[in-house]
Amino acid sequence: MATPPLPATSRIESDDIRFDRVGHARRRLALDRAASWLLPLLFLVAIFPILDLVYWVSEHAVPGFTWQVIVTNPSGNAGGLYAPLMGSLSILGLATGFAIAFGFFGGLATAEFLGPRSAEMVRITANVMVGTPAIIVGLFGYFAFVIYFGWHLTLAAASLTLGIFMTPYVFRSTDLAYATVPSHIREAAYGSGAGAGQYLIRVATPIAFPQVLTGVFLAMAIGVGETAPLVLTTLQSNLPPTGLFSPSNALPFYIWSGYTSIFPTEIRLAFQAAFLLLIIVVGLNILVRVIAARARKRLEGLFQ
Amino acid sequence: MPESPSPDSSGPPESRQPVPPAAAGVRHILRKVVPYVPALIPLGLTLAIVFTLLYESHLQNFGWAFFGFNFADYGIMIFVVGSFLTSVPALLLAMLIGLGISIASTTYLPRFVSAWLDPFVDLLAGIPSIIYGIWGYFVVAPYFGVNVWPWSVMHLGWIPGFGRAQFSPAPSGDGLALAIIILTLMILPITTLLMRDALRSVPRDLWESGLALGATRWEVTRRVAIPYAKRGVWGAAFLGFGRAIGETVAVAMVIDQAQKLPLNVYDGTSTMASLIIETIDSAFILTPQGVLYLRFLTELALILLAITLAVNIAGRWIIRRTFTEVAGI
Amino acid sequence: MGVAIAIAIVLLIVGIGAGYYIGASTSKSSTSTVNITEAGSTLLEPLMQIWSPNYTSQVNSHVTISTNGGGSGTGQSEAEAGTIDIGASDAYVTPGLGVINVPVAISSQLVMYNLPGLTNVHLNLNGTILAMIYMGQITMWNDPLIAAANPGVNLPSQAIVPVVRADSSGDTYIFSTYCDMSDKAWFYGNSTKAFQTTPPASGFQSGTANTGVITKLTETQYSLGYVGISYEGAALATGNLGYAALGDNNATGAGGTVASNYILPTPQNISYDANLGLARLNYAVYGLAVSLILGGSPAGPTTWTPGSGGTNPTAASPTPYPIVNLEYTILKTSPASPSHQTYVVQFIQWCIAWGNAENYLKQVNFIPLTPEIAGYDQQALASISISS
């Protein structure tokens, strides 16, 4: 973090005088006390919706949620969620592959080979790409893969589109992971005669890997729930994808098209799809946290 | 389709890496140039998106009506205004709540308590927008429609936009206000995390000198920490806005989609993103109008992209040296 | 250790994706399940959802039909592109694009309103009145034109709130075609002319999907809107919506609407219209391209000139229920995989012959195809190049 200019000292002084002039110590302390009680209450704004959401989704999904729901294919307005689940996992797997292919080497190059100024620019482009709305990536995927490449509405088009959406996340975490390898370790490696390749493979990667992994999981957690890129790039199929160029269902897509159905069975399945999606996403998020905490602990050790 | 531009567009890298002295010739080029190419992937992809959309829009000229409010004449203003009407209030709310949470977590709560509470905020970012959408549609909307909106009409009706206008507030509860609330939840993590980071970066010395002068924690926060962390706060505002304006699915599900300006906060409207996802089907009809509508939507997408790019570049420029990777922000 | 577990999990998940294909591609030949993809019209989707498991269980257990919504536009363009096997659409595709229109059922639309106290009274409305309401020319429920059509009904002195579909929809297409046929001055409003409408009338409301329109109608008093007939049960279950009896239109438009015959959308009336209208279909010229089945009009020929089809009444005849349309499947004439197409054609043939049985159609209030149309369908299907 760059040090932003300090607030002018004169300002603090004048404020200090104002503290004095406000005078009433009791009132000032009361304000402080009030803030100390009220501000933490704002956490409820975040905590309550999460609990309510998880509770509600579970409440509607768990009754009738049997093994059959997971292993049966959807059929008409009923059936199960096997195809959407397998579709989601397939799309996720392939998209993660794409995102790693694009993002990992990009981040690596940025962290290891670019000078500080150009790395800065590249980081900004990656960060800006993170903010690209999903629907626009979806529209791009539709034009580029569905139309130009002629892949139609298939697994391949959907996964590549989602992969592009996930790329900047992997890119940034890779970049961050390699850029924060402590400089004394880097210097020690080069100083003891290691080449760039040796340094990367033997020294930097073992240190950076957990963090890269964190980024990959994070990208997966974000990618698996994205709906907008899929709506324009794949079809819902009753069967799991049978190949790269076969249509693939996906959990978020199933919810998107099922929630306004006239059939209660289909709405129930949409809730159950939301439940499955929630489990996957929360699971990935917990995994991210665990790995990140471990990586941080390890990194702290290295800094000593 | 434009691929990654040539590597030299990034300029000669000012390498300060302890790379061994380079050999001459092809090997030199290989070594000097090839590693930089992957670094241009984000730029390349972004440019690919921009140029693909530009190409596909065929730069169709819809005339001045394009910047008008009449959707029937291919006017986009309803949706631009709708986007701002949802994302600006959501941003303000998320900034206020986020500031409060980040102050509480950095200043008032013991470390072990905030370590338990902070992940909830991060988790908000992890929940897919489609789940916010169905939750908003099936749970929050009915509750607000039955309990909150009638109350708000009665007690807040004097505020312009909160009163009854032409029709009663919808018992189904979805509409502009619900979209704002759901959006607030969705961008709360990004604003909170960035501000929390910024507040954490306030040097301990500054804090302690403030306290030593007899200021309360609240006063130090207000007069020292927040001014110090100003950049983080501004960055949070820009990035939060960028996120809010591009949100598609959740907004489309709860905004009570309507191609018009809202009459009051309970009324439906649509944003640029929600218009695209809800009406893209019209663009696929095999008629000349379908083709034209696809170009219209593509141009709308370009405008949305331009806004998000500008906002994100500004935001990232402001906080360019912070690394915030948790929760994908 | 933790890292190793994490790697294992990544590999597991990526592996599911990758390894899945190996498994799938090998198992594909052994089970030889044929997956037919259908996408498009959300109006036809519920019926497809009913048909598809029944076809699999009763006719050919090796064939499964994946049903998608997406909308009629998606159905048309994806069928034309060959992405899907069956495109479902509420509107026909202009001939000459390598696809054929095969109607599989007859659907209809209700005009519904939320008028407290008048829920069980079927108001008399007609195309001219509806067009004028949506154009903002009739704004009050007790407008003289509405009052003239509803003698003895105590109409409230309240503003009408027209409700439209916010998303692209074939319902909008059908409804606005009806308005267009009824009122020369009809202005579709929207850019796409067909699948969306933004009425110039101020204070309109809109809902997403039919369920959204029903919700909107339910919660907005004095509103009026159009709802696909599949949703009749859901709409009437709300308890405060009534539906209108529709009459024929005066071709001269505003002023002297004198229709005396107002018809309710009962199955009998809808089939009557379909039979009357489709009997006059000029198959030789227009093929199966029918935007709206107009059974007749006592006022003689309507002024509407269809682009490429339609069952425009050419002479005065009794009025049947007017908003009736064919639900199309769009099929490619030269499909990429002719052997696969055999199954598609078999399925469509089943839909036309057996799928039009009452027990399927009744669930979504659709009407069976008329015998002529079923015959034309067979002719059209014959033009698809299939080989085994």
Side-chain angles (χ1 to χ4, degrees):
Chain A
M1 174 86 194
T3 35
L6 290 177
T9 21
S10 59
R11 174 124 174 244
I12 292 183
E13 274 165 13
S14 66
D15 281 347
D16 186 33
I17 293 164
R18 257 171 71 197
F19 297 156
D20 226 11
R21 212 183 290 146
V22 170
H24 312 291
R26 200 181 293 164
R27 192 191 297 165
R28 289 174 44 210
L29 283 175
L31 188 65
D32 187 52
R33 182 109 13 102
S36 79
W37 281 104
L38 292 179
L39 291 183
L41 284 184
L42 286 176
F43 267 106
L44 288 180
V45 175
I47 294 172
F48 178 73
I50 289 201
L51 295 182
D52 188 57
L53 189 150
V54 172
Y55 173 75
W56 174 78
V57 170
S58 321
E59 187 193 8
H60 284 79
V62 171
F65 194 95
T66 58
W67 188 242
Q68 284 303 312
V69 173
I70 296 181
V71 298
T72 320
N73 279 320
S75 151
N77 52 46
L81 292 169
Y82 182 66
L85 181 65
M86 291 316 284
S88 258
L89 290 180
S90 311
I91 291 176
L92 185 62
L94 286 169
T96 309
F98 285 126
I100 291 174
F102 288 144
F104 177 78
F105 294 103
L108 184 69
T110 309
E112 292 294 335
F113 303 117
L114 255 57
R117 202 167 296 162
S118 35
E120 194 67 28
M121 301 311 294
V122 169
R123 268 168 207 147
I124 288 182
T125 60
N127 281 325
V128 165
M129 205 190 153
V130 167
T132 310
I135 181 72
I136 287 179
V137 179
L139 205 55
F140 165 72
Y142 173 76
F143 287 135
F145 309 129
V146 178
I147 304 288
Y148 294 161
F149 288 14
W151 291 354
H152 301 317
L153 301 175
T154 53
L155 175 63
S159 354
L160 192 47
T161 308
L162 199 61
I164 286 174
F165 185 79
M166 288 158 63
T167 296
Y169 295 97
V170 178
F171 185 100
R172 289 192 322 175
S173 63
T174 312
D175 173 25
L176 175 61
Y178 281 92
T180 49
V181 170
S183 57
H184 62 260
I185 291 183
R186 180 179 314 208
E187 281 151 19
Y190 283 119
S192 47
Q198 272 173 312
Y199 163 70
L200 275 184
I201 294 165
R202 293 274 178 80
V203 182
T205 303
I207 297 173
F209 193 69
Q211 228 172 334
V212 175
L213 214 56
T214 312
V216 172
F217 277 129
L218 200 62
M220 289 168 79
I222 290 165
V224 72
E226 269 309 325
T227 318
L230 302 183
V231 171
L232 294 175
T233 49
T234 186
L235 269 180
Q236 296 202 50
S237 165
N238 279 354
L239 300 178
T242 49
L244 272 180
F245 298 102
S246 72
S248 163
N249 214 328
L251 289 171
F253 195 8
Y254 191 90
I255 303 170
W256 169 249
S257 58
Y259 83 102
T260 50
S261 170
I262 43 170
F263 300 113
T265 46
E266 198 177 2
I267 294 182
R268 159 86 71 79
L269 276 178
F271 291 156
Q272 290 172 337
F275 182 63
L276 276 178
L277 193 57
L278 209 54
I279 289 176
I280 296 175
V281 168
V282 172
L284 282 168
N285 267 294
I286 289 172
L287 209 60
V288 165
R289 239 151 268 288
V290 170
I291 303 174
R294 280 172 186 231
R296 205 171 301 132
K297 215 172 272 173
R298 245 179 66 162
L299 215 58
E300 271 161 18
L302 286 172
F303 273 115
Q304 269 144 34
Chain B
M1 198 187 69
E3 271 306 319
S4 306
S6 61
D8 55 11
S9 67
S10 77
E14 315 92 311
S15 179
R16 285 201 320 220
Q17 308 284 348
V19 176
V26 180
R27 255 190 86 163
H28 170 74
I29 292 172
L30 272 182
R31 201 173 263 183
K32 279 302 243 187
V33 175
V34 168
Y36 305 103
V37 176
L40 294 169
I41 284 173
L43 183 66
L45 288 176
T46 311
L47 289 179
I49 292 174
V50 171
F51 283 113
T52 306
L53 293 189
L54 270 178
Y55 176 77
E56 275 300 324
S57 75
H58 291 78
L59 300 175
Q60 180 77 38
N61 186 359
F62 291 102
W64 287 110
F66 187 66
F67 299 102
F69 282 94
N70 192 355
F71 180 44
D73 286 342
Y74 296 101
I76 58 165
M77 276 322 271
I78 291 172
F79 314 109
V80 176
V81 171
S83 286
F84 278 85
L85 275 181
T86 46
S87 31
V88 172
L91 178 68
L92 291 177
L93 282 174
M95 288 297 287
L96 281 177
I97 299 168
L99 193 61
I101 291 180
S102 50
I103 290 172
S105 136
T106 53
T107 309
Y108 286 110
L109 290 176
R111 195 63 193 244
F112 74 94
V113 177
S114 62
W116 271 102
L117 291 179
D118 287 345
F120 276 97
V121 180
D122 305 348
L123 201 59
L124 270 184
I127 293 175
S129 52
I130 185 90
I131 293 184
Y132 277 113
I134 55 163
W135 177 68
Y137 183 86
F138 285 108
V139 181
V140 190
Y143 178 78
F144 275 68
V146 175
N147 300 316
V148 180
W149 297 156
W151 178 89
S152 95
V153 167
M154 227 188 302
H155 296 94
L156 304 174
W158 51 273
I159 305 171
F162 281 82
R164 200 179 275 263
Q166 189 164 0
F167 60 94
S168 49
S172 75
D174 43 10
L176 179 62
L178 186 65
I180 291 171
I181 288 165
I182 297 289
L183 261 187
T184 304
L185 283 181
M186 297 184 72
I187 61 169
L188 186 59
I190 186 168
T191 57
T192 309
L193 259 71
L194 289 172
M195 288 193 281
R196 195 165 72 200
D197 261 29
L199 285 178
R200 285 238 169 92
S201 73
V202 175
R204 201 80 220 145
D205 305 358
L206 265 185
W207 255 98
E208 280 161 9
S209 43
L211 293 173
L213 285 170
T216 61
R217 285 174 298 177
W218 174 248
E219 285 159 350
V220 178
T221 306
R222 253 201 73 190
R223 303 197 186 280
V224 181
I226 294 178
Y228 183 91
K230 210 163 55 187
R231 287 174 71 151
V233 175
W234 276 109
F238 274 95
L239 296 183
F241 182 74
R243 200 54 65 88
I245 205 166
E247 183 49 51
T248 314
V249 170
V251 173
M253 287 166 92
V254 298
I255 201 174
D256 191 11
Q257 183 83 4
Q259 284 85 344
K260 63 179 170 98
L261 292 173
L263 298 171
N264 55 27
V265 296
Y266 322 106
D267 202 4
T269 181
S270 60
T271 68
M272 294 186 261
S274 74
L275 180 82
I276 296 174
I277 200 159
E278 290 284 10
T279 66
I280 188 97
D281 180 55
S282 295
F284 297 146
I285 300 169
L286 298 175
T287 59
Q289 285 90 2
V291 174
L292 210 56
Y293 194 63
L294 187 58
R295 293 178 186 174
F296 169 76
L297 284 186
T298 313
E299 282 176 20
L300 190 64
L302 272 168
I303 286 171
L304 175 61
L305 184 61
I307 294 174
T308 49
L309 284 183
V311 167
N312 279 310
I313 290 172
R316 292 295 170 183
W317 189 256
I318 292 171
I319 50 158
R320 60 185 172 280
R321 284 191 188 84
T322 15
F323 282 115
T324 315
E325 36 74 66
V326 178
I329 287 154
Chain C
M1 178 59 187
V3 174
I5 295 173
I7 298 170
I9 293 169
V10 166
L11 288 180
L12 189 75
I13 295 180
V14 176
I16 288 173
Y20 190 73
Y21 301 113
I22 304 162
S25 52
T26 48
S27 67
K28 195 175 152 191
S29 51
S30 60
T31 59
S32 72
T33 298
V34 177
N35 185 23
I36 295 175
T37 49
E38 177 272 340
S41 166
T42 45
L43 195 58
L44 193 54
E45 193 191 3
L47 182 57
M48 280 288 178
Q49 286 180 334
I50 292 169
W51 277 341
S52 107
N54 279 300
Y55 183 75
T56 306
S57 64
Q58 292 173 18
V59 183
N60 191 341
S61 59
H62 294 307
V63 175
T64 166
I65 296 105
S66 300
T67 56
N68 288 261
S72 300
T74 307
Q76 293 187 0
S77 60
E78 298 310 329
E80 194 242 309
T83 310
I84 53 179
D85 299 312
I86 303 168
S89 174
D90 305 333
Y92 61 86
V93 175
T94 317
L97 289 166
V99 289
I100 52 167
N101 304 298
V102 181
V104 286
I106 291 173
S107 173
S108 172
Q109 263 187 12
L110 304 179
V111 174
M112 305 202 84
Y113 46 82
N114 180 347
L115 286 174
L118 296 177
T119 305
N120 296 319
V121 177
H122 300 294
L123 284 190
N124 293 335
L125 297 173
N126 63 38
T128 316
I129 292 177
L130 288 171
M132 290 174 79
I133 289 173
Y134 275 81
M135 284 189 294
Q137 292 166 355
I138 292 178
T139 55
M140 301 297 284
W141 276 108
N142 57 357
D143 187 278
L145 278 178
I146 305 180
N150 295 280
V153 177
N154 188 15
L155 290 162
S157 171
Q158 294 283 348
I160 304 173
V161 184
V163 178
V164 296
R165 282 283 289 273
D167 49 340
S168 345
S169 162
D171 291 309
T172 305
Y173 167 79
I174 296 159
F175 181 75
S176 47
T177 306
Y178 175 58
C179 291
D180 188 33
M181 285 175 158
S182 313
D183 192 332
K184 229 176 164 178
W186 171 253
F187 170 58
Y188 280 85
N190 190 277
S191 21
T192 62
K193 296 280 190 269
F195 281 65
Q196 278 160 247
T197 181
T198 308
S202 61
F204 71 94
Q205 289 285 302
S206 47
T208 303
N210 271 307
T211 45
V213 171
I214 292 169
T215 312
K216 192 55 76 178
L217 287 169
T218 314
E219 73 194 16
T220 315
Q221 286 192 340
Y222 309 111
S223 56
L224 170 104
Y226 48 90
V227 175
I229 199 157
S230 326
Y231 292 80
E232 183 182 358
L236 295 181
T238 63
N240 56 0
L241 298 186
Y243 57 91
L246 294 184
D248 46 63
N249 312 291
N250 187 324
T252 55
T257 306
V258 285
S260 52
N261 210 357
Y262 290 92
I263 306 293
L264 283 172
T266 59
Q268 294 75 22
N269 289 344
I270 296 169
S271 350
Y272 180 53
D273 174 83
N275 282 314
L276 269 184
L278 294 171
R280 276 202 301 274
L281 176 68
N282 190 344
Y283 180 72
V285 177
Y286 298 124
L288 284 161
V290 178
S291 45
L292 193 66
I293 306 167
L294 270 194
S297 157
T302 55
T303 47
W304 184 75
T305 40
S308 61
T311 59
N312 237 6
T314 48
S317 52
T319 314
Y321 189 77
I323 316 185
V324 179
N325 69 301
L326 291 175
E327 286 296 315
Y328 290 98
T329 55
I330 311 292
L331 302 173
K332 215 168 165 58
T333 43
S334 48
S337 163
S339 58
H340 184 74
Q341 198 73 2
T342 314
Y343 296 102
V344 177
V345 170
Q346 279 171 6
F347 171 63
I348 298 287
Q349 279 168 338
W350 179 85
C351 292
I352 294 162
W354 302 97
N356 266 270
E358 173 122 6
N359 59 334
Y360 300 128
L361 296 188
K362 191 70 198 154
Q363 299 179 44
V364 287
N365 298 321
F366 278 37
I367 299 295
L369 290 171
T370 61
E372 305 94 313
I373 294 295
Y376 291 143
D377 273 351
Q378 297 297 351
Q379 284 184 38
L381 285 172
S383 69
I384 296 178
S385 58
I386 47 176
S387 62
S388 45

mmCIF file of all heavy atoms in Angstrom, chain C residues 110 112 214 227-238 243 265-267 270 364-365:
data_model
loop_
_atom_site.group_PDB
_atom_site.id
_atom_site.type_symbol
_atom_site.label_atom_id
_atom_site.label_comp_id
_atom_site.label_asym_id
_atom_site.label_seq_id
_atom_site.Cartn_x
_atom_site.Cartn_y
_atom_site.Cartn_z
ATOM 1 N N LEU C 110 -56.276 -15.181 -23.285
ATOM 2 C CA LEU C 110 -57.356 -14.563 -22.540
ATOM 3 C C LEU C 110 -57.033 -13.096 -22.354
ATOM 4 O O LEU C 110 -55.872 -12.728 -22.172
ATOM 5 C CB LEU C 110 -57.480 -15.197 -21.157
ATOM 6 C CG LEU C 110 -57.674 -16.694 -21.096
ATOM 7 C CD1 LEU C 110 -57.751 -17.130 -19.647
ATOM 8 C CD2 LEU C 110 -58.947 -17.069 -21.815
ATOM 9 N N MET C 112 -57.596 -10.524 -19.623
ATOM 10 C CA MET C 112 -58.033 -10.583 -18.229
ATOM 11 C C MET C 112 -58.004 -9.200 -17.611
ATOM 12 O O MET C 112 -57.269 -8.317 -18.055
ATOM 13 C CB MET C 112 -57.125 -11.525 -17.435
ATOM 14 C CG MET C 112 -57.048 -12.899 -18.062
ATOM 15 S SD MET C 112 -56.541 -14.165 -16.901
ATOM 16 C CE MET C 112 -58.073 -14.561 -16.123
ATOM 17 N N ILE C 214 -49.788 -12.173 -14.472
ATOM 18 C CA ILE C 214 -50.889 -12.516 -13.570
ATOM 19 C C ILE C 214 -50.707 -11.817 -12.221
ATOM 20 O O ILE C 214 -51.639 -11.235 -11.668
ATOM 21 C CB ILE C 214 -50.980 -14.048 -13.398
ATOM 22 C CG1 ILE C 214 -51.422 -14.674 -14.720
ATOM 23 C CG2 ILE C 214 -51.950 -14.422 -12.287
ATOM 24 C CD1 ILE C 214 -51.284 -16.168 -14.757
ATOM 25 N N VAL C 227 -53.110 -12.921 -21.225
ATOM 26 C CA VAL C 227 -52.483 -14.058 -20.568
ATOM 27 C C VAL C 227 -52.675 -15.273 -21.457
ATOM 28 O O VAL C 227 -53.759 -15.510 -21.983
ATOM 29 C CB VAL C 227 -53.145 -14.298 -19.188
ATOM 30 C CG1 VAL C 227 -52.599 -15.554 -18.547
ATOM 31 C CG2 VAL C 227 -52.947 -13.114 -18.271
ATOM 32 N N GLY C 228 -51.610 -16.030 -21.636
ATOM 33 C CA GLY C 228 -51.696 -17.262 -22.413
ATOM 34 C C GLY C 228 -52.675 -18.220 -21.755
ATOM 35 O O GLY C 228 -52.770 -18.285 -20.530
ATOM 36 N N ILE C 229 -53.415 -18.993 -22.561
ATOM 37 C CA ILE C 229 -54.502 -19.782 -21.997
ATOM 38 C C ILE C 229 -54.003 -20.910 -21.105
ATOM 39 O O ILE C 229 -54.732 -21.397 -20.241
ATOM 40 C CB ILE C 229 -55.428 -20.318 -23.117
ATOM 41 C CG1 ILE C 229 -56.777 -20.714 -22.522
ATOM 42 C CG2 ILE C 229 -54.784 -21.473 -23.853
ATOM 43 C CD1 ILE C 229 -57.898 -20.717 -23.485
ATOM 44 N N SER C 230 -52.733 -21.287 -21.259
ATOM 45 C CA SER C 230 -52.201 -22.324 -20.350
ATOM 46 C C SER C 230 -52.261 -21.865 -18.918
ATOM 47 O O SER C 230 -52.251 -22.664 -18.000
ATOM 48 C CB SER C 230 -50.746 -22.626 -20.664
ATOM 49 O OG SER C 230 -50.474 -22.533 -22.002
ATOM 50 N N TYR C 231 -52.258 -20.583 -18.730
ATOM 51 C CA TYR C 231 -52.186 -20.033 -17.385
ATOM 52 C C TYR C 231 -53.577 -19.696 -16.842
ATOM 53 O O TYR C 231 -53.689 -19.021 -15.834
ATOM 54 C CB TYR C 231 -51.266 -18.802 -17.364
ATOM 55 C CG TYR C 231 -49.833 -19.182 -17.618
ATOM 56 C CD1 TYR C 231 -49.377 -19.421 -18.907
ATOM 57 C CD2 TYR C 231 -48.938 -19.337 -16.567
ATOM 58 C CE1 TYR C 231 -48.067 -19.798 -19.135
ATOM 59 C CE2 TYR C 231 -47.630 -19.714 -16.784
ATOM 60 C CZ TYR C 231 -47.197 -19.945 -18.076
ATOM 61 O OH TYR C 231 -45.908 -20.327 -18.298
ATOM 62 N N GLU C 232 -54.612 -20.151 -17.543
ATOM 63 C CA GLU C 232 -55.960 -19.814 -17.115
ATOM 64 C C GLU C 232 -56.215 -20.258 -15.674
ATOM 65 O O GLU C 232 -56.711 -19.487 -14.849
ATOM 66 C CB GLU C 232 -56.975 -20.480 -18.045
ATOM 67 C CG GLU C 232 -58.405 -20.116 -17.699
ATOM 68 C CD GLU C 232 -59.416 -20.820 -18.592
ATOM 69 O OE1 GLU C 232 -59.010 -21.559 -19.504
ATOM 70 O OE2 GLU C 232 -60.621 -20.625 -18.356
ATOM 71 N N GLY C 233 -55.822 -21.497 -15.392
ATOM 72 C CA GLY C 233 -56.073 -22.020 -14.052
ATOM 73 C C GLY C 233 -55.361 -21.200 -12.994
ATOM 74 O O GLY C 233 -55.954 -20.806 -11.980
ATOM 75 N N ALA C 234 -54.088 -20.909 -13.248
ATOM 76 C CA ALA C 234 -53.311 -20.130 -12.285
ATOM 77 C C ALA C 234 -53.917 -18.747 -12.094
ATOM 78 O O ALA C 234 -53.981 -18.220 -10.976
ATOM 79 C CB ALA C 234 -51.871 -19.999 -12.764
ATOM 80 N N ALA C 235 -54.406 -18.161 -13.194
ATOM 81 C CA ALA C 235 -54.951 -16.806 -13.107
ATOM 82 C C ALA C 235 -56.272 -16.799 -12.353
ATOM 83 O O ALA C 235 -56.506 -15.946 -11.490
ATOM 84 C CB ALA C 235 -55.144 -16.235 -14.508
ATOM 85 N N LEU C 236 -57.126 -17.778 -12.643
ATOM 86 C CA LEU C 236 -58.434 -17.778 -11.982
ATOM 87 C C LEU C 236 -58.306 -18.149 -10.508
ATOM 88 O O LEU C 236 -59.119 -17.738 -9.686
ATOM 89 C CB LEU C 236 -59.386 -18.734 -12.702
ATOM 90 C CG LEU C 236 -59.727 -18.296 -14.131
ATOM 91 C CD1 LEU C 236 -60.689 -19.268 -14.784
ATOM 92 C CD2 LEU C 236 -60.306 -16.879 -14.160
ATOM 93 N N ALA C 237 -57.232 -18.885 -10.190
ATOM 94 C CA ALA C 237 -57.036 -19.276 -8.793
ATOM 95 C C ALA C 237 -56.775 -18.069 -7.906
ATOM 96 O O ALA C 237 -56.964 -18.121 -6.701
ATOM 97 C CB ALA C 237 -55.874 -20.257 -8.694
ATOM 98 N N THR C 238 -56.328 -16.968 -8.493
ATOM 99 C CA THR C 238 -56.061 -15.789 -7.674
ATOM 100 C C THR C 238 -57.348 -15.190 -7.138
ATOM 101 O O THR C 238 -57.343 -14.457 -6.159
ATOM 102 C CB THR C 238 -55.328 -14.709 -8.482
ATOM 103 O OG1 THR C 238 -56.191 -14.294 -9.549
ATOM 104 C CG2 THR C 238 -54.022 -15.216 -9.045
ATOM 105 N N TYR C 243 -62.154 -12.747 -16.986
ATOM 106 C CA TYR C 243 -61.699 -12.668 -18.370
ATOM 107 C C TYR C 243 -62.842 -12.247 -19.273
ATOM 108 O O TYR C 243 -64.011 -12.466 -18.974
ATOM 109 C CB TYR C 243 -61.044 -13.967 -18.832
ATOM 110 C CG TYR C 243 -61.876 -15.205 -18.716
ATOM 111 C CD1 TYR C 243 -62.681 -15.607 -19.777
ATOM 112 C CD2 TYR C 243 -61.848 -15.980 -17.566
ATOM 113 C CE1 TYR C 243 -63.449 -16.750 -19.681
ATOM 114 C CE2 TYR C 243 -62.615 -17.127 -17.469
ATOM 115 C CZ TYR C 243 -63.417 -17.506 -18.522
ATOM 116 O OH TYR C 243 -64.170 -18.639 -18.435
ATOM 117 N N PRO C 265 -63.882 -17.620 -24.263
ATOM 118 C CA PRO C 265 -62.824 -18.544 -24.710
ATOM 119 C C PRO C 265 -63.002 -19.946 -24.161
ATOM 120 O O PRO C 265 -62.111 -20.471 -23.502
ATOM 121 C CB PRO C 265 -61.548 -17.877 -24.171
ATOM 122 C CG PRO C 265 -62.001 -17.111 -22.985
ATOM 123 C CD PRO C 265 -63.393 -16.664 -23.272
ATOM 124 N N THR C 266 -64.137 -20.540 -24.458
ATOM 125 C CA THR C 266 -64.309 -21.934 -24.057
ATOM 126 C C THR C 266 -63.621 -22.807 -25.092
ATOM 127 O O THR C 266 -63.417 -22.377 -26.234
ATOM 128 C CB THR C 266 -65.794 -22.304 -24.013
ATOM 129 O OG1 THR C 266 -66.335 -22.085 -25.315
ATOM 130 C CG2 THR C 266 -66.547 -21.464 -23.012
ATOM 131 N N PRO C 267 -63.283 -24.027 -24.740
ATOM 132 C CA PRO C 267 -62.644 -24.908 -25.724
ATOM 133 C C PRO C 267 -63.492 -25.038 -27.001
ATOM 134 O O PRO C 267 -62.940 -25.044 -28.106
ATOM 135 C CB PRO C 267 -62.549 -26.244 -24.981
ATOM 136 C CG PRO C 267 -62.531 -25.884 -23.540
ATOM 137 C CD PRO C 267 -63.345 -24.629 -23.402
ATOM 138 N N ILE C 270 -63.114 -21.948 -29.128
ATOM 139 C CA ILE C 270 -61.788 -21.839 -29.734
ATOM 140 C C ILE C 270 -61.667 -22.830 -30.886
ATOM 141 O O ILE C 270 -61.186 -22.493 -31.964
ATOM 142 C CB ILE C 270 -60.700 -22.066 -28.670
ATOM 143 C CG1 ILE C 270 -60.776 -20.953 -27.613
ATOM 144 C CG2 ILE C 270 -59.324 -22.054 -29.305
ATOM 145 C CD1 ILE C 270 -59.937 -21.212 -26.403
ATOM 146 N N VAL C 364 -52.986 -27.964 -20.086
ATOM 147 C CA VAL C 364 -52.534 -26.602 -20.368
ATOM 148 C C VAL C 364 -53.555 -25.848 -21.215
ATOM 149 O O VAL C 364 -53.250 -24.785 -21.772
ATOM 150 C CB VAL C 364 -51.162 -26.604 -21.070
ATOM 151 C CG1 VAL C 364 -50.076 -26.962 -20.091
ATOM 152 C CG2 VAL C 364 -51.157 -27.552 -22.245
ATOM 153 N N ASN C 365 -54.773 -26.395 -21.308
ATOM 154 C CA ASN C 365 -55.876 -25.729 -22.013
ATOM 155 C C ASN C 365 -55.619 -25.495 -23.492
ATOM 156 O O ASN C 365 -56.145 -24.564 -24.076
ATOM 157 C CB ASN C 365 -56.221 -24.391 -21.364
ATOM 158 C CG ASN C 365 -56.681 -24.573 -19.951
ATOM 159 O OD1 ASN C 365 -57.391 -25.525 -19.654
ATOM 160 N ND2 ASN C 365 -56.266 -23.678 -19.080
#
